[in-house]
Amino acid sequence: MKITHIGGPTAVLNLGGLTFLTDPAFDEPRDYQLPGRVMTKLTGPAIPAAELGPVDVVLLSHDEHKDNLDDAGRALLPSVPTVLSTPGAALRIEGVRGLENWEAIDLPRPDGGVITVTGVPALHGPEGAEAVVGFVTGFVLQGEGLPTVYVSGDNASLGHVKEIADRFAPIDVAVLFAGAARTVLLNGANLTLTSTDSVEAAHILGDARIVPVHTEGWTHFSEGPEQFLAAFREAGSEDRVEMLVPGVPKTIA
């Protein structure tokens, strides 16, 4: 698998001849005036949407938040043949295919095989957070002769990580949305994995290579790449982490 980090939760995954894009956010730095709060983007995309090249599949964890789907990202969606997200997103955005938890779809590969994408549980905060921030999904990608890849989406629940690990073991690569995102809407509760939680998630996931995203570029991300790597170093697991340089492709062995 090759992965290129664009910024925040946005990354390009090349797997089995298909190009996947996670949570498209391509706006330049700006403030978003939202009901009851302001979201501030600090850095622009390492690669602009216009320079991405063809994208086969968007993996959209949810559509309600600007750091996961901003204006430029939303404008990109009609050009992508397959956009997978939550059932709610499918009602709100034309052309989106919603996946229930554990629902799978087979996508044809150029070599005649398929990549199976399964929607998996995610919880964007503490128990009951759905009433405030909405529903989110993660994804698992599988294919013959390919690594099994888990894309967590905006998930803060280690219980869900265990469910996914138990069902799909062995997972070879885990793209974890971390950064300990916080908002006043939930009194500062963590909306995504903390760095310490990510270490525990890595333990649950066995021998998976760990790829952090969603740790920089927005003011509501409270823990950055340095804290993420430091937590794994302290746990003696730094060698499992695949740190990414925005805009630079990296092959995960």
Side-chain angles (χ1 to χ4, degrees), residues 29-152:
R30 56 172 290 189
D31 290 337
Y32 297 92
Q33 301 291 333
L34 304 172
R37 69 197 194 283
V38 176
M39 287 183 68
T40 300
K41 187 175 187 180
L42 299 172
T43 57
I47 302 173
E51 298 177 15
L52 272 187
V55 173
D56 299 300
V57 186
V58 164
L59 304 175
L60 176 61
S61 68
H62 59 301
D63 64 302
E64 296 100 326
H65 299 151
K66 291 292 188 179
D67 59 318
N68 302 93
L69 183 67
D70 62 13
D71 299 342
R74 192 176 291 267
L76 177 70
L77 295 185
S79 69
V80 180
T82 303
V83 181
L84 303 177
S85 191
T86 64
L91 296 176
R92 290 183 288 267
I93 303 176
E94 185 177 356
V96 171
R97 164 71 184 269
L99 293 178
E100 300 282 357
N101 288 341
W102 314 120
E103 183 181 358
I105 180 173
D106 286 339
L107 304 176
R109 292 162 48 176
D111 63 4
V114 299
I115 293 179
T116 300
V117 180
T118 304
V120 295
L123 177 61
H124 199 3
E127 291 296 330
E130 298 95 336
V132 178
V133 296
F135 290 87
V136 300
T137 188
F139 304 92
V140 171
L141 284 57
Q142 299 170 290
E144 184 176 355
L146 300 176
T148 295
V149 180
Y150 166 46
V151 179
S152 74

